[in-house]
Amino acid sequence: MKIKFIAVAPYDGWAFIIKDEHLYLLRPPYQANDLIESSEKDLAVAISKYNFQECHSSFDNFEETINFLEEKYIKEMEKLGFSLPDTGELKSLIEYADEDILQDFLDKAEKELIPLRSLDAAESIALELIQLENVKKNQTMFKRAIEIIKKCQHERNELKRLLKKPIKFSQKYPNAIKMYTKKSLYESMNYICSTRQLLPIGM
Amino acid sequence: MDTITFYSYKGGVGRTLALANIAVYLSRFDQSVCIIDFDLEAPGLPYKLSDFFASPIETGLVDYIYEFTSTGTVTRSLNKFLLKAQNIPGQQGNIWLLPAGNILSAEYWKKLASIDWHGLFYKEGGEGIPFFLELKEKIHKELNPDFLLIDSRTGITEMSSICTSILPDKVIFLITNNRENIEGSRQILRGIQKVKRLKNQKPIKVTLALTRIPFPQNNDEREIEQKIIEDIKRFLNGEVKNLDEQLNISDILVLHSDRSLELSESLRLNLENITDKPLAKDYLQLLAKNIPKKLVKTKINSIL
């Protein structure tokens, strides 16, 4: 599977890609069901009106494709001054922070970073926070930070699951194959696909 | 596992209620049953059996299908989608329900709207057929019920056609006595007759049941009922050019209307003195047509 970029909007991580000879719009949070089939016209509008930039990189799978987009996004955010503090800076920022500020950090991790799949950033905020005495004393905040760490792990696993190679037919349908045979299932699929009718009415 | 789809071309004919009653009777006859609410656009099965399913519905068939269409993966276990019936009077076998889903949530309707039925079946390599057969075989493997009863969507859609063509061994086909219903039903019946079956699948056996017919009070009314049945049979069996579409329906059962149901809908659970309970008797006769003779002999004949 080759994925070829045509145009990218690095400030929000959207991109036009070509996969299997079809043009798609890919956008965060990069769900498999969220690929939008697009036209040349859409692409032209995106470049002329929405600051999409031409891009000719190509990748072998979605994992690399998404990493590329996320890197571009982070660079863009850094340019705009939205960069996340590194761990050292973060420590000094939060050491004497009051509860409201700490809550803001948790909000940022949960509501902004996780949906954007910036999981490492979200997780490092939560990990730093749980080490703070103020957070350890505040059970609600402590639990929330733990939940964020768990959510990052869950999201990471989900992403891995989505991006891993397509599951083989025989792994997906072992019971159906045992009962009806693989050959018979394929014949039925092809027949229905060619007649475009599950129930043969009016033929 | 015997898979029986309850289908009607149009709604409001008592299809879901018939399924619910038959599921309860089977459970009383020591048969375990799994019931599926496949009427995804207007789910109703849990309402008919609400006394026996206490826990709220959180997930269901739509979530199961959506998970497949959105990620390409088949959920391993059905456990989280199933509910088990409790406190059914006289229950001996289990009843499991695979509901459509939590229809009170916006999520349900969004998921249903995003399912690409066309892609599942008509796109090259669309895996709808193995996916739904895997679901059926998974039910067989995980629950091992004696019967799988499916409440189908009405009309001619992919949703209903899965229930009338891919999944069933038998179809209980409910019709009412009006022209649009009978004509539409004839189309579907011809279609069912022509369905190409997979290896190890037998031709689909259909039982027709006429509903919304008042119970005859005298001989004249009995004759009228008989005439209606004969007219419908004649119409359904009308000659066609393509012989593979030619129907040969010899028997139509009747599910008589019950005025008390119109006032307050409930299951016909009391099977004592069955002659005083025409609808319950009709349900039992319908059931008797679709279960092994041994079961009819040991469980139903004594009641009838």
Side-chain angles (χ1 to χ4, degrees), chain A residues 76-94:
Chain A
E76 196 67 18
M77 290 298 106
E78 282 171 349
K79 269 193 233 165
L80 296 168
F82 291 134
S83 61
L84 281 165
D86 64 25
T87 314
E89 284 172 334
L90 185 63
K91 258 185 192 156
S92 63
L93 274 171
I94 61 175

Side-chain angles (χ1 to χ4, degrees), chain A:
Chain A
M1 176 177 65
K2 202 81 179 164
I3 297 163
K4 193 177 163 196
F5 277 97
I6 301 297
V8 173
Y11 54 86
D12 62 9
W14 290 41
F16 282 91
I17 56 163
I18 288 188
K19 178 183 158 278
D20 302 329
E21 297 178 358
H22 287 279
L23 181 67
Y24 294 99
L25 179 62
L26 176 67
R27 59 187 180 168
Y30 308 122
Q31 302 276 322
N33 63 329
D34 207 15
L35 275 177
I36 302 164
E37 194 152 2
S38 306
S39 64
E40 297 279 337
K41 200 178 159 189
D42 297 332
L43 176 64
V45 171
I47 292 173
S48 62
K49 279 194 176 176
Y50 300 111
N51 297 325
F52 274 68
Q53 298 158 11
E54 283 191 24
C55 172
H56 300 293
S57 306
S58 57
F59 297 95
D60 288 324
N61 55 46
F62 270 116
E63 196 169 5
E64 289 170 18
T65 308
I66 291 165
N67 284 343
F68 173 78
L69 279 173
E70 284 183 340
E71 272 172 35
K72 266 198 169 300
Y73 171 73
I74 290 165
K75 277 182 195 160
E76 196 67 18
M77 290 298 106
E78 282 171 349
K79 269 193 233 165
L80 296 168
F82 291 134
S83 61
L84 281 165
D86 64 25
T87 314
E89 284 172 334
L90 185 63
K91 258 185 192 156
S92 63
L93 274 171
I94 61 175
E95 202 171 350
Y96 303 105
D98 63 18
E99 192 182 323
D100 283 348
I101 292 174
L102 295 174
Q103 290 287 10
D104 284 346
F105 272 104
L106 289 173
D107 279 346
K108 188 172 182 64
E110 189 174 14
K111 294 175 185 165
E112 290 177 35
L113 298 173
I114 293 177
L116 284 169
R117 293 199 185 275
S118 297
L119 302 176
D120 292 347
E123 197 175 49
S124 60
I125 289 177
L127 283 168
E128 288 300 329
L129 259 67
I130 55 168
Q131 294 172 47
L132 291 177
E133 282 306 315
N134 282 346
V135 175
K136 282 182 192 165
K137 281 179 201 161
N138 184 332
Q139 276 302 304
T140 316
M141 214 188 293
F142 187 81
K143 277 183 190 163
R144 198 175 162 207
I146 296 289
E147 280 308 312
I148 287 171
I149 296 167
K150 282 185 188 166
K151 205 168 177 183
C152 288
Q153 193 56 47
H154 173 77
E155 290 291 314
R156 213 173 265 127
N157 290 339
E158 277 295 292
L159 192 61
K160 271 185 201 160
R161 194 168 67 89
L162 286 172
L163 298 175
K164 71 184 175 189
K165 285 179 186 169
I167 303 160
K168 281 183 186 167
F169 192 84
S170 54
Q171 285 172 317
K172 266 195 273 190
Y173 312 113
N175 302 300
I177 289 171
K178 195 174 169 188
M179 183 68 190
Y180 308 101
T181 74
K182 196 190 274 188
K183 186 175 172 238
S184 169
L185 288 167
Y186 274 123
E187 279 171 1
S188 179
M189 282 162 63
N190 291 336
Y191 179 74
I192 298 296
C193 176
S194 65
T195 60
R196 298 199 160 228
Q197 272 193 318
L198 275 171
L199 195 66
I201 291 173
M203 287 162 84

